[in-house]
């Protein structure tokens, strides 16, 4: 599995990478982007199976990036997870319209993200069996 | 979809006990879930004592917009606490090299970012918001409070959280 982490905080990206290592998922490569625009460029260059993204970021925020992704057939099978401080009901409803598999609200414990990753990996495996 | 960002809706001020309680819960939640730290309520006397005794502090200010409302949430903490929180967040082993100032600043910025988001979600969960990238400044002494602020103690170290609102709550005549 190739994973893309999108967050403007270097610390948060490092923390997510650490949790990925703890999860029971087979990972080929982990890429990082600091905003939605950078992420879209990486998505054009590589094939990813999982996108973990923040919402509030400079240059291009996560919601705008996810709208772009939802318009492109190439990224139809990309699993999308939001990891954001914004826990508002409006943002959660918006995420449903953008084919987001899981909405994880900051702060979260590493175990919660690890479980989400394991569940996603299990469901992907079940779908491809 | 309903008009959830109505400009007539306002955020309560930190002087309101329920709002202050929501802020403390936000701080406690961030400290416990992401930094494995214990947060307790603080007081002005112990904060003032530390303010003069601790030589190095960090202030992380997050600007937010919620509909027509704008404001900031600023968290002030000793640099020593920030380094401790860094170790907890990053899982740094004491034998590893000390993190540089840039990473510690990023950490305090993320702490404030999470506190701000958790607080806004608690006091106005029906409205979405925008958070801007945190601005982190090192200071030798915490600035005087410009208004009501929340004081907390994280792992026995004092922390201050100050909120400013640029759009005042509208009052009914």
């Amino acid at each position: 599995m190739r994973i893309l982490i999108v967050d403007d905080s270097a610390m948060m990206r490092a923390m997510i990478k650490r949790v990925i290592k703890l999860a029971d998922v087979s990972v080929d490569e982990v890429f990082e982007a600091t905003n939605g625009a950078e992420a879209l460029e990486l998505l054009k260059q590589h094939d990813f199976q999982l996108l973990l993204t923040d919402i509030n970021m400079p240059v291009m925020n996560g919601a705008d990036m996810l709208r772009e992704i939802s318009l492109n057939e190439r990224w139809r099978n990309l699993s999308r997870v939001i990891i954001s401080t914004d826990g508002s009901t409006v943002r959660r409803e918006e995420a449903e319209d953008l084919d987001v598999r899981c909405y994880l609200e900051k702060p979260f414990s590493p175990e919660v993200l690890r479980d989400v990753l394991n569940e996603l990996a299990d469901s992907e495996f079940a779908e491809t069996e | 979809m309903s008009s959830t960002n109505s400009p007539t809706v306002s955020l309560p001020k930190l002087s309101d006990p329920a709002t202050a309680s929501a802020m403390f819960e936000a701080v406690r939640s961030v400290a416990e879930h992401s930094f494995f730290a214990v947060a307790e309520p603080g007081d002005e006397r112990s904060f003032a004592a530390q303010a003069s005794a601790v030589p190095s502090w960090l202030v992380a200010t997050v600007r937010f917009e919620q509909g027509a409302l704008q404001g900031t949430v600023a968290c002030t903490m000793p640099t020593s606490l920030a380094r401790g929180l860094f170790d907890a967040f990053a899982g740094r082993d004491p034998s590893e090299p000390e993190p540089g100032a840039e990473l510690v600043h990023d950490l305090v910025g993320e702490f404030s970012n999470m506190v701000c988001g958790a607080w806004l979600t608690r006091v106005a969960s029906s409205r979405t918001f925008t958070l801007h990238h945190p601005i982190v400044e090192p200071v030798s002494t915490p600035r005087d409070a410009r208004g009501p602020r929340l004081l907390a103690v994280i792992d026995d170290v004092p922390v201050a959280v100050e909120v400013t609102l640029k759009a005042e709550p509208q009052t009914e005549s």
Side-chain angles (χ1 to χ4, degrees), chain B residues 71-91:
Chain B
T72 61
V73 168
C75 295
T76 302
M77 67 174 69
T79 304
S80 56
L81 175 62
R83 289 188 173 278
L85 295 179
F86 178 97
D87 291 352
F89 192 81

Side-chain angles (χ1 to χ4, degrees), chain B residues 62-169:
Chain B
V62 177
R63 189 161 59 86
F64 67 85
E65 289 154 16
Q66 193 173 41
L69 287 165
Q70 295 179 25
T72 61
V73 168
C75 295
T76 302
M77 67 174 69
T79 304
S80 56
L81 175 62
R83 289 188 173 278
L85 295 179
F86 178 97
D87 291 352
F89 192 81
R92 189 185 79 88
D93 188 271
S95 63
E96 294 175 36
E98 289 267 333
E102 191 179 342
L103 279 178
V104 176
H105 289 196
D106 188 89
L107 184 282
V108 179
E110 189 59 27
F111 179 92
S112 293
N113 186 56
M114 283 195 269
V115 166
C116 182
W119 176 66
L120 287 171
T121 299
R122 280 170 169 78
V123 295
S125 66
S126 63
R127 287 176 278 157
T128 188
F129 51 82
T130 299
L131 303 185
H132 293 267
H133 196 73
I135 295 171
V136 182
E137 302 163 280
V139 294
S140 54
T141 311
R143 69 184 179 208
D144 292 334
R146 297 170 187 170
R149 63 181 177 181
L150 178 96
L151 297 173
V153 176
I154 297 177
D155 285 352
D156 298 325
V157 181
V159 170
V161 183
E162 200 168 346
V163 177
T164 61
L165 296 174
K166 289 180 181 169
E168 291 298 312

Side-chain angles (χ1 to χ4, degrees), chain B residues 27-39 81 85 88 154-155:
Chain B
V27 171
R28 189 190 56 76
S29 175
V30 170
E32 289 184 5
H33 288 118
S34 282
F35 298 93
F36 314 106
V38 177
L81 175 62
L85 295 179
I154 297 177
D155 285 352

Side-chain angles (χ1 to χ4, degrees), chain A residues 25-59:
Chain A
V25 294
S26 173
V27 178
D28 299 312
E29 274 182 294
V30 178
F31 286 69
E32 298 178 40
T34 62
N35 60 65
E38 271 185 25
L40 287 174
E41 285 305 310
L42 285 169
L43 284 163
K44 288 171 189 168
Q45 294 166 22
H46 307 276
D47 285 324
F48 291 95
Q49 284 71 52
L50 176 60
L51 172 76
L52 304 168
T53 185
D54 190 11
I55 289 292
N56 286 292
M57 294 178 286
V59 185

